[in-house]
Amino acid sequence: MEFDYDTAFSRNLGLVTQDEQAILRSKKVAIAGMGGVGGSHLLTLVRMGIERFAIADMDTFDLVNFNRQAGAMMSNLGLEKVEVMKKAALDINPNCKFEVYAEGVTLKNMDGFLDGVDIYVDGLDFFVLEMRAEIFKRCRELGIPAVTAGPIGLSTAYLAFDPHGMSFEDYFRLEGHDPLTQSIHFLAGLTPRFAQKTHIVDFSRINLREKRGASLAPSCMACSAVMGAEVLKILLGRGKVHYLPWALQFDMYQNKLYKTYNWAGNHNPLNKFKIAMIRKMLDRHAGTAPPVAPIYNSVIEEILDQAKWAPSGDNSQPWRIALADDFSFSVEVDRSKRNVYNLLEMPDLISAGMFLENAVIAARHKGYDIKHRVMGGRIEAGLVPSSTMTAARVDQSRILYPYIKTRSVNRYPYKLKPIPPLVAAAAEELLDHDIKIHWLKGMSEKWAVARATMMTSDIRLRLPETYFVHKHMIDWSGQNSPDKMPAASLGTNSLSTSLTKWALHSEKRNRLMLKLPAATLSFQVELDLIPSIFCASHFVMSFDPAVTPDPQSSDYIRAGANMQRFWLYLTSQNMALQPWYIPIMFSRYIEDNIAFTVDQKLHKQAQTLHDHVVNKVLGPIGVPLRSVFFTGRIGYPTKVSQARSVRKPLSDLINSDARETADQKFDQ
């Protein structure tokens, strides 16, 4: 079949007239850059029916381009971007005419590049600022309108330049500044609302000093969409074009369009303030660097490096690992640093079970299974070939494995959206026959939990035994924390967080603050009442007392493995979870007559808490307190913390390595 222009672009008609289509066909567009957005820009304009182009790029395609660039394919590795994209365009419309600048745009060839051009489309890399400024300056001198659209976070920010309106330099104010400051100015002018700040989940991957950014294919495609619309309006002379100093940002993550009249560009006081804030943010994250991929000496190390992402109280990571050889290990919990929150062994054993379950899932991912036995509180485990695994177990591990590291605690309020019945049923099917889950979905049940957690907060914040625990468990750096809880993940507002930091500076301050009227009320409301109500459901996980009436250490380890599968599955369904086990622990202290405080008044409050938990929370669902091993709330998140608890290096968790001893003996 031969190519026919009218047939190929007939579906454009209706949104453009036949005469307008002919106008588009006659226009010439210059595009500098054939990478992240430039290549998509070219193909978009070709499909609009434009046939004449000047394209420039000095680069070749590489693997790092595959996430976003239209021409990045295995068959194009190492090839010049301009030639690849020219070929792709000619495959759409063989009539296209090209002027190709494989050396990129330079001061020497710029006039030739812009000769006869009706509009210039900017597709240069974010950090190519000096040449970008020169091209826009020359476009203005030649009376050529221009459009730029950049993928910023999960959004597109775009500007239109009228050659008779505000200039590129008057808007961005780049001249006379160092490269970093120029990058900050360009970012501030491109996105004056800075909507992308809520999109970033790992600041270590973004560094303006090192000219390193992050981008996604949807953002690049959106850039080409808005660029095409702006080009169409400018070339056809119809439709409103928001020229500088208007700045537009379509935020696909938050489903918002920001339209800002950025008067005087970066010269206005508000933008100067934003530039200062961006620089401050960069300074705050200056010490972060992308994680270096670990080097493993054996498959057991790779598996254990996944296992360590199990949850533990306050991110204490109490597991102590002994490596016997490249295929076997043991793990036990370090109880030397017990505090008022884990006087019972139960939470540490559950954490060990979660560690073991992560190891099992990671082993199956690598083609192994893990056989283990429990010796008191110690787990001895070894890798075996996976030939004995059923297809269902392999499939379960495949589903859960990607969520081992992303699973975390979310302390913010959740949506009220209920749990889909199929999700709840699938989660229950992951549990052993003697482990039961009880859902607390009704408002009266939520209120009962809210009262329990609020009573608990008042007790734990006033306990003299918890001051040093709280003081040392919070990381105030603003970054991810390898051995504590980041302050940014606590779920409190900035004022409450600041007051907490102030009070924990010394015992004297802490006592002073607790003497104030209703000293704990704001924390109870923000951390207990609101989250308890705003969730899909609470849950109580327990042993069936008819099957397991007196749980032993091995049962709690097994329970932890069940809980981890449950949590990972909910994470795979985009649901969040927050444990609230402290009301259970305090209630168990009362029931088991375990001394946990010298304050008799708080001990009496704990007795009241015990009665409420037993009669109002567990009583209606018929669950004995001694059968309960985990409680929490789940739901669909409304907010995700910008910082989270991460993990120590695996080497810090390995207490002994018999492999090293064997090597040393061999060397001797």
Side-chain angles (χ1 to χ4, degrees):
M1 180 182 292
E2 292 186 1
F3 178 80
D4 178 74
Y5 181 93
D6 291 335
T7 303
F9 302 107
S10 60
R11 295 298 178 90
N12 291 348
L13 302 180
L15 295 174
V16 298
T17 68
Q18 196 159 359
D19 290 338
E20 287 176 329
Q21 187 66 63
I23 292 171
L24 290 176
R25 186 178 189 180
S26 70
K27 297 298 183 180
K28 181 180 179 182
V29 180
I31 309 173
M34 287 286 109
V37 293
S40 296
H41 288 348
L42 174 63
L43 299 186
T44 297
L45 296 173
V46 169
R47 293 193 186 279
M48 288 168 57
I50 296 172
E51 286 190 337
R52 296 194 301 138
F53 297 94
I55 59 174
D57 199 310
M58 66 178 71
D59 202 3
T60 57
F61 281 111
D62 195 359
L63 278 174
V64 295
N65 306 141
F66 274 47
N67 74 311
R68 67 201 184 281
Q69 298 192 13
M73 302 174 189
M74 289 301 295
S75 58
N76 295 332
L77 278 174
L79 300 182
E80 292 182 341
K81 292 181 179 181
V82 283
E83 292 298 334
V84 168
M85 297 315 302
K86 173 185 173 182
K87 180 180 178 182
L90 289 171
D91 211 23
I92 298 169
N93 182 354
N95 297 332
C96 284
K97 302 294 187 291
F98 283 94
E99 297 170 15
V100 176
Y101 294 80
E103 71 278 22
V105 181
T106 67
L107 293 176
K108 290 183 178 180
N109 67 21
M110 190 180 299
D111 281 354
F113 175 70
L114 296 174
D115 184 43
V117 164
D118 295 289
I119 190 168
Y120 167 65
V121 173
D122 177 23
L124 292 172
D125 182 89
F126 178 93
F127 297 102
V128 180
L129 294 175
E130 289 189 6
M131 185 51 63
R132 174 181 274 117
E134 292 292 344
I135 296 173
F136 275 95
K137 179 181 177 182
R138 190 59 179 147
C139 284
R140 181 178 177 82
E141 292 169 351
L142 296 173
I144 300 171
V147 174
T148 188
I152 309 293
L154 196 58
S155 75
T156 175
Y158 52 109
L159 307 170
F161 297 80
D162 183 344
H164 309 295
M166 191 175 195
S167 71
F168 181 95
E169 175 56 31
D170 286 343
Y171 183 79
F172 285 108
R173 305 280 173 158
L174 302 185
E175 287 183 4
H177 293 292
D178 61 85
L180 174 61
T181 303
Q182 288 183 343
S183 296
I184 295 172
H185 277 229
F186 188 59
L187 181 62
L190 195 58
T191 61
R193 297 289 289 272
F194 212 66
Q196 69 274 12
K197 65 181 180 295
T198 61
H199 307 179
I200 302 170
V201 295
D202 183 358
F203 279 93
S204 71
R205 301 288 181 174
I206 300 168
N207 192 317
L208 295 187
R209 289 183 175 85
E210 299 176 5
K211 298 185 178 181
R212 186 177 69 241
S215 58
L216 287 170
S219 304
C220 294
M221 293 177 182
C223 288
S224 295
V226 297
M227 174 282 309
E230 295 301 299
V231 167
L232 182 142
K233 290 186 290 184
I234 292 170
L235 292 182
L236 297 183
R238 64 176 174 86
K240 185 173 181 58
V241 178
H242 289 85
Y243 289 107
L244 289 186
W246 283 100
L248 291 90
Q249 184 175 8
F250 176 43
D251 183 346
M252 297 171 286
Y253 188 74
Q254 300 185 90
N255 304 308
K256 293 181 180 179
L257 173 65
Y258 296 98
K259 190 166 63 174
T260 306
Y261 187 77
N262 195 22
W263 63 273
N266 284 336
H267 192 56
N268 79 56
L270 184 57
N271 261 39
K272 289 182 178 180
F273 174 76
K274 291 175 184 175
I275 288 168
M277 290 299 99
I278 294 173
R279 186 177 289 277
K280 184 177 180 180
M281 180 187 70
L282 292 175
D283 291 339
R284 188 168 67 247
H285 295 284
T288 61
V292 178
I295 299 174
Y296 302 108
N297 296 315
S298 64
V299 68
I300 196 73
E301 292 179 11
E302 188 171 356
I303 289 168
L304 293 173
D305 207 36
Q306 296 292 321
K308 73 181 185 182
W309 287 87
S312 58
D314 306 330
N315 198 26
S316 59
Q317 302 164 64
W319 322 290
R320 297 298 172 259
I321 303 166
L323 292 176
D325 53 47
D326 284 341
F327 294 94
S328 58
F329 67 95
S330 64
V331 61
E332 56 187 332
V333 174
D334 180 6
R335 297 273 295 158
S336 64
K337 296 181 180 179
R338 286 186 301 167
N339 60 54
V340 71
Y341 293 135
N342 65 339
L343 297 178
L344 288 173
E345 198 175 14
M346 178 177 70
D348 290 331
L349 293 172
I350 288 171
S351 180
M354 291 173 153
F355 180 98
L356 176 63
E357 184 62 20
N358 274 357
V360 169
I361 294 169
R364 290 173 181 169
H365 180 75
K366 300 298 293 183
Y368 294 88
D369 202 355
I370 286 184
K371 298 294 184 182
H372 75 278
R373 61 178 180 174
V374 177
M375 310 287 289
R378 176 186 175 91
I379 303 170
E380 295 182 351
L383 300 181
V384 297
S386 62
S387 58
T388 59
M389 280 194 291
T390 65
R393 289 166 70 189
V394 172
D395 191 54
Q396 181 188 101
S397 297
R398 178 186 60 80
I399 294 171
L400 300 183
Y401 178 79
Y403 299 96
I404 287 177
K405 289 186 178 181
T406 61
R407 177 220 57 80
S408 64
V409 176
N410 186 319
R411 298 177 178 85
Y412 294 106
Y414 306 154
K415 298 176 183 177
L416 292 173
K417 177 182 176 181
I419 309 166
L422 290 177
V423 171
E428 292 176 23
E429 288 178 4
L430 296 172
L431 307 179
D432 292 350
H433 73 286
D434 65 331
I435 290 178
K436 306 297 179 184
I437 186 164
H438 313 270
W439 303 104
L440 307 176
K441 304 176 184 177
M443 187 56 69
S444 61
E445 295 169 313
K446 289 183 178 181
W447 275 111
V449 172
R451 187 179 174 200
T453 55
M454 291 174 73
M455 293 167 69
T456 302
S457 284
D458 190 61
I459 295 170
R460 67 182 179 85
L461 291 175
R462 296 181 185 278
L463 281 173
E465 293 82 359
T466 62
Y467 168 74
F468 285 104
V469 177
H470 295 163
K471 180 181 177 67
H472 296 296
M473 78 180 188
I474 301 175
D475 186 334
W476 300 103
S477 69
Q479 310 291 331
N480 292 341
S481 179
D483 57 359
K484 297 180 180 181
M485 292 170 54
S489 72
L490 297 179
T492 53
N493 62 58
S494 57
L495 177 59
S496 296
T497 302
S498 298
L499 285 174
T500 301
K501 184 177 181 180
W502 179 87
L504 291 177
H505 183 267
S506 67
E507 283 189 278
K508 182 178 179 181
R509 285 187 184 180
N510 195 55
R511 288 195 298 268
L512 178 63
M513 185 171 177
L514 289 173
K515 288 179 180 179
L516 298 174
T520 65
L521 182 60
S522 64
F523 296 96
Q524 289 174 301
V525 171
E526 188 171 19
L527 296 180
D528 302 311
L529 176 59
I530 294 175
S532 292
I533 301 303
F534 285 89
C535 63
S537 178
H538 295 272
F539 68 90
V540 173
M541 199 171 283
S542 68
F543 293 106
D544 184 342
V547 181
T548 310
D550 185 23
Q552 303 300 306
S553 295
S554 60
D555 294 311
Y556 285 121
I557 289 172
R558 181 168 54 85
N562 278 256
M563 182 59 215
Q564 184 69 351
R565 285 196 299 275
F566 176 80
W567 198 338
L568 290 174
Y569 175 72
L570 292 177
T571 304
S572 77
Q573 300 301 304
N574 298 320
M575 300 187 76
L577 185 150
Q578 179 190 7
W580 49 264
Y581 81 97
I582 301 177
I584 301 298
M585 295 302 293
F586 284 0
S587 297
R588 282 289 303 271
Y589 296 166
I590 294 297
E591 191 158 294
D592 296 354
N593 199 28
I594 295 174
F596 66 97
T597 182
V598 296
D599 191 313
Q600 291 305 306
K601 181 179 178 181
L602 292 176
H603 191 277
K604 289 181 180 179
Q605 286 184 229
Q607 178 67 60
T608 304
L609 168 66
H610 165 272
D611 297 343
H612 176 79
V613 168
V614 169
N615 297 320
K616 300 298 183 181
V617 178
L618 302 179
I621 56 177
V623 178
L625 175 62
R626 297 188 67 82
S627 296
V628 177
F629 63 82
F630 210 96
T631 52
R633 68 184 182 102
I634 62 175
Y636 293 93
T638 58
K639 183 179 179 181
V640 177
S641 173
Q642 292 295 302
R644 60 163 297 189
S645 297
V646 288
R647 297 296 181 269
K648 302 174 186 176
L650 179 62
S651 57
D652 289 1
L653 302 176
I654 296 177
N655 262 15
S656 65
D657 189 344
R659 302 172 307 168
E660 294 179 356
T661 304
D663 290 342
Q664 290 167 1
K665 288 180 179 178
F666 181 79
D667 291 339
Q668 293 172 357

